[in-house]
Amino acid sequence: MSALTLSTSSAATLRADAVVVGVAKGPKGPVVAAGAEAVDKAFDGKLAAVLEALGATGGEGETTKLPAPSGMKAPVVLAVGLGDAPAKDEAFGHEALRRAAGSAARALAGSKKAAFALPVEDADAAGAVAEGALLGAYSYRPAGDGAAKKNGKDEKAAKGAPLAEIALLGGKPRDKAFKAAAERAAIVAEELNRARDLVNMPPNDLDPKTFAATAQAAGKEFGLKVEVLDEKALLKGGFGGIMGVGRGSDAPPRLVRIGYTHPKAEKTLALVGKGITYDSGGISLKPAGHNETMKCDMAGAAAVFAAVVSAARLGLRVNVTGWLALAENMPSGSATRPGDVLRMYGGKTVEVLNTDAEGRLVLGDALARASEENPDAIVDVATLTGAMVLALGNRTFGVMANDDAFRTSVYEIAEEVGEQAWPMPLPAELRKAMDSPVADFANMGERMGSGLLAGIFLKEFVGEGITWAHLDIAGPAYHESAPYGYTPKGGTGSAVRTLVRLAERTAAGDLG
Ligand code: BES
Ligand code: MN
Ligand code: ZN
């Protein structure tokens, strides 16, 4: 990942390949944002006029490259649009800063070092700029004999390479709060980018076993306890959901428990992630057009993994247990058939009417197992239903819960960290549609509201009295259109920042 440094240097004298300044959309044209004073001075106070002459408006995501005037060390100035200028005496929103920093970092891919002179009023704003820049600078680098290695050190490789060093200006490195915000941003961004890498890895390189090995390696590195149940242990342990989904694949399933504990923790948060390393649909095979991006079906597990490791690296005063329910959903002679009845962990039976509704099966087992440890709250994260994408679109995840106050908290936390989310209900009447003549219930019901119905299915496996929320990230987990702000094509790292903030808030005792 790109390196992050805090610098007290002036934007005019700092040695860098480019200096990034902010420009906002004012009522009478572009307005240069705070932080760019030294740069504007080098332009004889005419930076806004020059930008306007070049057609810049200050609109969100707009980038304009200018040759730097002679008074500056850096050869290039990059002006990035922050969107509408805030009202007088008000600061730019954190998400505007995050997105602008991300757009700038993307526009500077291939450069070595860029100095970010964006308006950072306080430590949190500096953290947002750092986070946006580090996330925007991300690019997936295939391992082994892929592009990264082939291009080696030649010029072309440098072109595709992400921005190597991000220097944050105006950040007061001697101020503890600024330093802490930058360090936090670096950790969260690094782990979030790692989650993106896992999602982007081709499914023939990331199967349940290799995912589990990745978790074990991270556990070693950061002092986390990692336990892996393999197919033998899962069979013996009665994990009928995970086994039922994984049995059709040559790559057998895994359940990973990755635990971070703090000696002074008062609360324990359990995070459960759907980790289908490839979802073909199984015997209820998905048609062409619906399976090309299904390597992303482990994005929930990747988010949980990243959040637990982040909590550990941040040293949060809370216990966080991650459960990664890993399986590959494939059709074969040993695959679960529509009509089969599975005995889930904990003893409930499920009639599988559609093998493509596999996420709820692996999550049911993991939720029941996580409940045994009686955590203060459980949050599951899953690319669970196409219905949630139809309802909320490609950028917003749905938040469901068995507790209205907790659902509101999770939704508000998502908003606070710059993730688009929306609260969704769990209408009790949908439960009846899952009635089965041969099992406790079926894994499918009616089509209408089927994203909510999936949530109701999951609720059956949450232990009595445990606060639980379900995040359906099927829309935002994988981004197929053009990059924007700090969001690249492919894996996005959806829900990571929400989970990390939730852990921080739990540590601070802010939640129930
Ligand atoms: N992994 C899919 C959901 C999905 C859809 C994720 C689009 C990302 C993008 C899930 O396993 C699935 O296939 N769900 C079915 C359930 C149905 C068969 C009840 C769906 O939503 O169509
Ligand atoms: Mn499916
Ligand atoms: Zn799936």
Side-chain angles (χ1 to χ4, degrees):
M1 195 178 68
S2 328
L4 176 72
T5 51
L6 286 182
S7 170
T8 44
S9 304
S10 151
T13 57
L14 191 80
R15 238 177 248 289
D17 299 305
V19 172
V20 175
V21 299
V23 51
K25 208 170 177 171
K28 290 186 228 112
V31 184
V32 175
E37 293 79 8
V39 176
D40 192 24
K41 203 171 158 207
F43 276 93
D44 290 329
K46 292 182 183 128
L47 182 53
V50 171
L51 284 168
E52 185 162 26
L54 287 168
T57 64
E60 195 185 307
E62 172 191 274
T63 55
T64 312
K65 269 185 192 166
L66 308 163
S70 56
M72 286 181 66
K73 274 251 162 65
V76 170
V77 171
L78 178 87
V80 63
L82 284 156
D84 291 336
K88 210 173 152 35
D89 298 327
E90 269 183 41
F92 285 95
H94 290 165
E95 182 60 5
L97 294 174
R98 217 178 268 118
R99 288 193 185 194
S103 296
R106 281 191 297 104
L108 292 169
S111 309
K112 281 212 176 67
K113 177 173 178 177
F116 283 68
L118 291 172
V120 286
E121 282 229 322
D122 55 24
D124 285 346
V129 170
E131 199 173 88
L134 292 167
L135 295 177
Y138 170 85
S139 78
Y140 176 63
R141 318 241 83 201
D145 55 5
K149 193 172 166 192
K150 202 165 70 205
N151 288 337
K153 286 179 201 126
D154 68 26
E155 286 290 301
K156 275 183 198 132
K159 260 197 169 161
L163 180 58
E165 187 186 338
I166 291 159
L168 209 63
L169 303 189
K172 300 182 192 136
R174 272 175 288 275
D175 182 318
K176 260 196 193 154
F178 276 87
K179 220 177 142 215
E183 276 167 9
R184 178 192 182 277
I187 288 171
V188 175
E190 187 168 14
E191 293 310 323
L192 190 152
N193 284 339
R194 194 216 296 265
R196 289 171 169 180
D197 274 344
L198 288 169
V199 172
N200 289 331
M201 272 172 79
N204 55 337
D205 283 345
L206 188 79
D207 65 15
K209 199 169 147 188
T210 48
F211 196 148
T214 305
Q216 261 161 337
K220 244 196 188 140
E221 189 176 351
F222 300 111
L224 294 144
K225 194 170 158 207
V226 179
E227 294 162 88
V228 178
L229 297 187
D230 64 10
E231 69 273 27
K232 273 192 208 135
L234 289 167
L235 192 66
K236 206 168 156 215
F239 292 87
I242 298 175
M243 285 305 289
V245 173
R247 60 181 286 167
S249 170
D250 289 340
R254 296 285 183 270
L255 176 64
V256 176
R257 181 191 188 280
I258 177 166
Y260 162 65
T261 55
H262 187 286
K264 289 185 186 152
E266 281 167 13
K267 299 265 169 171
T268 298
L269 192 59
L271 306 176
V272 176
K274 171 177 173 181
I276 301 298
T277 58
Y278 184 70
D279 182 11
S280 73
I283 297 295
S284 314
L285 194 63
K286 285 182 189 294
H290 291 263
N291 53 23
E292 293 81 358
T293 60
M294 280 303 142
K295 67 174 182 181
C296 83
D297 216 17
M298 35 54 71
V304 164
F305 175 47
V308 178
V309 176
S310 297
R313 293 182 63 186
L314 293 168
L316 302 183
R317 196 172 165 158
V318 57
N319 300 327
V320 186
T321 313
W323 298 90
L324 318 179
L326 308 172
E328 186 180 56
N329 188 22
M330 295 290 267
S332 79
S334 62
T336 290
R337 316 152 189 80
D340 281 356
V341 173
L342 303 177
R343 178 173 294 273
M344 306 283 286
Y345 188 80
K348 289 191 177 168
T349 57
V350 175
E351 182 185 11
V352 178
L353 290 178
N354 190 320
T355 63
D356 199 11
E358 84 296 341
R360 62 199 75 179
L361 299 173
V362 301
L363 288 171
D365 274 0
L367 285 167
R369 176 66 189 86
S371 295
E372 282 182 348
E373 299 187 356
N374 210 17
D376 294 288
I378 303 180
V379 178
D380 78 70
V381 187
T383 46
L384 203 62
T385 67
M388 201 54 59
V389 192
L390 286 175
L392 298 177
N394 285 319
R395 295 188 183 186
T396 304
F397 62 78
V399 184
M400 285 145 269
N402 62 1
D403 178 304
D404 287 355
F406 191 55
R407 185 188 59 207
T408 302
S409 295
V410 172
Y411 157 68
E412 285 174 354
I413 284 169
E415 187 168 50
E416 181 189 318
V417 298
E419 293 207 87
Q420 288 171 246
W422 201 251
M424 299 294 274
L426 292 172
E429 72 276 11
L430 291 179
R431 169 63 184 79
K432 240 189 113 36
M434 285 184 279
D435 281 351
S436 162
V438 293
D440 290 331
F441 40 87
N443 76 332
M444 248 188 81
E446 57 188 297
R447 207 165 86 84
M448 297 302 160
S450 57
L452 317 177
L453 179 128
I456 289 170
F457 181 97
L458 297 181
K459 192 174 161 212
E460 292 283 340
F461 297 91
V462 177
E464 188 79 31
I466 302 178
T467 304
W468 158 79
H470 158 56
L471 314 185
D472 190 339
I473 61 168
Y478 198 81
H479 184 61
E480 291 186 69
S481 51
Y484 65 94
Y486 53 85
T487 304
K489 243 180 168 10
T492 60
S494 178
V496 172
R497 290 178 294 137
T498 297
L499 295 180
V500 173
R501 179 70 96 224
L502 178 68
E504 289 173 329
R505 295 279 296 273
T506 307
D510 289 358
L511 296 163

